[in-house]
Structures are given as C-alpha cells and as structure tokens.
Amino acid sequence: MKKVAISIGDLNGVGVEIALLAHDKIKRFCEPLYVIDGKLLFQASKMLGLDIPKDFKTCKVSKNFKIKPGKVSKKSGLYSFKSFKKAIDLAKKDKVDAIVTLPINKEAWNKAGIRYKGHTEVLSDLFKKEAIMMIGCKKLFSLLYTQHIPLKDVSKTVKTKKLYNFFIDIDNSLKTKKIAVLGLNPHAGDGGVIGDEEKKIKKAIKKANKTLKKELFYGPLVPDTAFSPKNIKNLRYLVAIYHDQGLIPVKTLYFKESINVSLNLPIVRTSVDHGTAFDIAYKGKKPSLKSYINAVKEAVKLS
Amino acid sequence: MKKVAISIGDLNGVGVEIALLAHDKIKRFCEPLYVIDGKLLFQASKMLGLDIPKDFKTCKVSKNFKIKPGKVSKKSGLYSFKSFKKAIDLAKKDKVDAIVTLPINKEAWNKAGIRYKGHTEVLSDLFKKEAIMMIGCKKLFSLLYTQHIPLKDVSKTVKTKKLYNFFIDIDNSLKTKKIAVLGLNPHAGDGGVIGDEEKKIKKAIKKANKTLKKELFYGPLVPDTAFSPKNIKNLRYLVAIYHDQGLIPVKTLYFKESINVSLNLPIVRTSVDHGTAFDIAYKGKKPSLKSYINAVKEAVKLS
C-alpha cells in the first residue's frame, strides 16, 4: 500500500476536520501519515468533538499553539507552512510515495512572513522547476499554461518554443492518449481575424507531436464550444492557455469533486481544490470530503 | 398577439427546416411572418419532405435560386442577407414587433461580397448604435462588454467611463433587479496582486448604481468560482468583460437552450445561438428546436 503524507493545512480552518472524518475511507487505499503533532491533533479533536482513530499516524512538526477557529493567525500560518515543508521532506527522502496538501491561508502565510503565494510556488522554488498546475477531476482535468498572471499579460507568453516545452513536460508526467489544447481568442481566432496566437499554438502542437512520435496533442479548439455536452464527451485532459479558461468549466461542472495536482516535479503532490473555509470551521457543519478523497486517490494513482 | 418577422438564414443550412418544424409551437404565442419567398419555401419543403402549414405566412424577398444542402454559396449567402435586411425593415416600419434571425453563414456572406461579420454588426451599423450582445437562456444570460476582439486587446478597453456607459445602456434595455459583473483577472485580481482592472470595474459599478439610484450592478466577482453550483443559484444576468468568460459557462451549462439577444437598439432582435449546421441540413436528422423556440419567446417578451 502506498504511503501518503498529509500536510494538515491551516489548523484554524476545515483541514483537520476533513482529515479526521475521511480517515476510515482513505485508509482503504493508502497508508496515510498526518503531518501534525499529537498535541495539536488532540486539541483539535476535542474542539471538534471527534474521536482520534487509533491508527491515525502523526509525526513531529513544531511546537504547540492555541487553535482559533476561523481566525487568520501568524502561528497557524507558520505551522501550516512547516507541516507542508515536512511533508515535502518526507517525500524527498522517500519515506512516503506522495503528498496531499490540505488548504492553507495565504493571508496567514503573509502574517507569518512567508512570501509564497501558495503551495505550488513553494514547490517550484524548492525543486527549481516550474510546477504544472492541473485542476479538475477524472472527468475533466485542465492543465494551466499560465497561472496567476494578469489577463493582459497572457498573450505575450504564447510562444511556440515555450508552449512546446510545456507540452513535452506534460508528456513526461502524465500518461494519457489525447490532450486537447484550447485557442486563446474568441472562436480560436476565426482563421486569424480575431487574433493570431492560434498559429503559434498550432505550430507547437505539431512540433511536440513530432518529437513525441504520437498524436498526443490536438487543437487549438474554439474555447466557448469545447465544453458543450456534445464536445465535452471527448475531453478528458485539456491545456488551457490562461487560468479562467481552464477553471471556469471545471468549477462550473465539477466544483465539489475537483482537486489540484502539481505535475512536472520529482515528487507527487495533489491537493484539495478549496480553501480553509474559515466560515464553517469547527462549527459541526461537516465539510465536503469529496475533493480530499479524490486528491488522495489521484496521489496514489500518480505515485 | 405580437407579430414576429423570422429571417430565414442560409437556405443551404438547417434554418428553414427548424422554421417549418417549429411553426405549430410558436404560432401559439405569436404571429410569425417568415421572410422567405413562396417559391423558395416550396423548393425547400419538397427537399425536406415536409408539408407547408396553411397558415405559414411568407413575404417577397428576392429572386429564386437552387438550394444546395450544406454548401457555402454566394446566392444563398446573398439571399440570407436580403431576408435579414427585409426583416429589419419590417420592424423599422412597425409592421412587426420584433425579429428573430435564423443562422447565416459568414463565409457565404463573404462570397456574396457582404463585409459584415454577422447579424449584430449589421444592426450596429444600420442603427449607428453599438448593439449589446446578450447570450444565454432564462437561467443565465451573459452580457458581453467586449465581443469579437483579440484577447490581448481586452484589458485596454476596461475603462471606467466606457464601462459606466455600458451599464447605463443595459439598464435602458433590460428590466431586472440584479446584474453581476465579473472581474477580468484570475481571482478578480486578488486585491490588486494579479492585475488591477478590477478597480475600474468597481468604480464604474458604483457610479452607475448612483446614477440609476438603485443597487442594480454588483461585483466584480471572481470569474472561476462565480458559476459553482452554490454561486450560480444567485446569478441570472451577468456582465462578462470578454467573450469566452461569458460564453464558456453559458455553453457548458445551457448549450441547446441558449439564444442570442441584441440589446440597446430601437428594434427587438433575438436569434438562435447555433450555426447553419451544414453537416445535418436536409438529411432528416431533426435539428433541435429549443434555441429557436426560446428565441421567439424572448422576442415576444422583450417587445
């Protein structure tokens, strides 16, 4: 059975509750190691009114602090960062086969002096490799060519060579037969009438397929009709040129099931695709476990 | 009962079949006038193997030509343009209360020397007013702030004054209580970290609401989560800053039901939201009537 380190996320949020509630389910297909200290787990379980399962394996991370449900706090932010770093470390040392991350709070990271925007940036920095962000569920995964950049800067990044490298990187970390690529402009440029970045996309697809000696990538597709009921049947993996192009369809159709996967790294990392949900943390409001369970499943599959 | 002129679209496509098949349904709530000559209707009905209902009212448009199913043709392109122009004329002269347009083929228009990109451009030019394109169905309508322009040019168009005018124009042609406005950037800019056009959007919303003396517009919303099952319940009308932002969710969720409405004009015009479907024209493959029937209903409602 694959070993999976679970970084606990911001303890003032819903992460630890999700971990406790889903434990019986995920232990059927992996051996989870929760990256949280026993004392803090004990504190959280008391506050949540949840038992700690006897096979809930934890590990040392950092010193104890007081959990404050729903609060942005420096201590909780710092702890979530340390839990994440420890999980990465376990994977690097091959003590686990993959890591799954529970949500952190960006503001809390900021308060704790951590200058990263999120998990993915930490990974890219640590491994000196651009992590590829893939979001979705097994029905539809979007691979983001650009992530958190202003929309006005997207066009400039569309270059044949850069796209080509992105395609080759995808093939290195994903085993599948067909990956659709979206166009950038309305109607995918309508033959060059509404923008011409599609020419570069087309060239990069051709070049990548030639190198890979298979017809892996196809497109560019017209973005707005790619997800119609008729067309979506044929989609499973999809390259989106910009953030919202890939995430609007995924979140519109599969909001609760969606997960976040970091590809192109020496370790396997998946994550829930939701935040800390401070508004419902420690209120007995049973957060959805779907995204988390899917994330653990995908981590096992990829490792 | 409201009178509605139906421009017949490209006769080599599915338009006339849709008109014949849906006649019994739409005559229950309007008095349709089909902008097609009797001779051509007779030719099409023979080829389709469909009866012409005795109350199927037509009018003179232009001279006869040979229908060629699924073919891009100069003659058919020109006829579709003339049918559209005639329909507009009927509306301008108050002979009808609204017009509904069946799909034309852009390439055929091009072949016929017609330099417009589509219906909406003709209307804007004819009435010397920027038509506002609204696409969707009664569950979700997207109003497009920009239409067929390259994605790289979208940011430049985001100006407080221009947005403000757009909002005021919307209020002039649409009666509703709440209209959401999307942000432009990932996470709606995340407080200015990923682009700052959202500031201008916010300012324009505030200004428009002040002028209108009501809280009609709100936002900017984070684009990728705006359509999650929880959030979409509260959406009905939506301002999208660019084409695909508004159309991806509409076409993902409501492809068959969707229609196209031209607002901000002195006449009411709605349209099906699909093309000529040359691949299935005159093959007895029963095209979907949903979009057309919804378009006629909305035309009656708006007039």
Side-chain angles (χ1 to χ4, degrees), chain B residues 147-217:
Chain B
Q147 302 173 10
H148 298 115
I149 66 166
L151 191 81
K152 71 168 161 35
D153 297 335
V154 171
S155 165
K156 293 171 224 165
T157 72
V158 178
K159 287 179 187 149
T160 306
K161 179 81 177 125
K162 195 168 142 77
L163 274 162
Y164 167 83
N165 290 338
F166 184 72
F167 292 156
I168 300 296
D169 283 344
I170 289 175
D171 180 64
N172 281 332
S173 39
L174 195 68
K175 291 305 146 213
T176 184
K177 280 179 186 160
K178 280 280 162 207
I179 302 176
V181 183
L182 292 183
L184 175 73
N185 295 297
H187 308 178
D190 226 345
V193 183
I194 321 172
D196 58 3
E197 291 88 348
E198 281 73 13
K199 274 184 216 158
K200 295 178 199 167
I201 299 173
K202 210 170 194 170
K203 215 181 271 179
I205 290 173
K206 216 173 153 184
K207 229 179 121 189
N209 286 344
K210 203 176 160 192
T211 302
L212 300 172
K213 294 192 178 73
K214 55 185 175 184
E215 295 296 303
L216 180 58
F217 296 95

Side-chain angles (χ1 to χ4, degrees), chain A residues 209-227:
Chain A
N209 286 344
K210 203 177 160 191
T211 302
L212 300 171
K213 294 191 177 73
K214 55 186 175 184
E215 296 296 303
L216 180 58
F217 296 95
Y218 68 99
L221 303 185
V222 171
D224 69 340
T225 54
F227 310 98

Side-chain angles (χ1 to χ4, degrees), chain A residues 77-93:
Chain A
L78 188 62
Y79 193 89
S80 68
F81 183 67
K82 285 185 174 173
S83 170
F84 178 42
K85 284 286 289 279
K86 174 89 182 225
I88 297 170
D89 225 49
L90 290 165
K92 275 168 75 178
K93 289 178 183 156

Side-chain angles (χ1 to χ4, degrees), chain A residues 148 151 185 223-224 227 251-252, chain B residues 151 185 187 224 227 244 252:
Chain A
H148 297 115
L151 190 81
N185 295 298
D224 69 340
F227 310 98
K251 299 203 174 184
T252 300
Chain B
L151 191 81
N185 295 297
H187 308 178
D224 69 341
F227 311 96
D244 287 346
T252 300

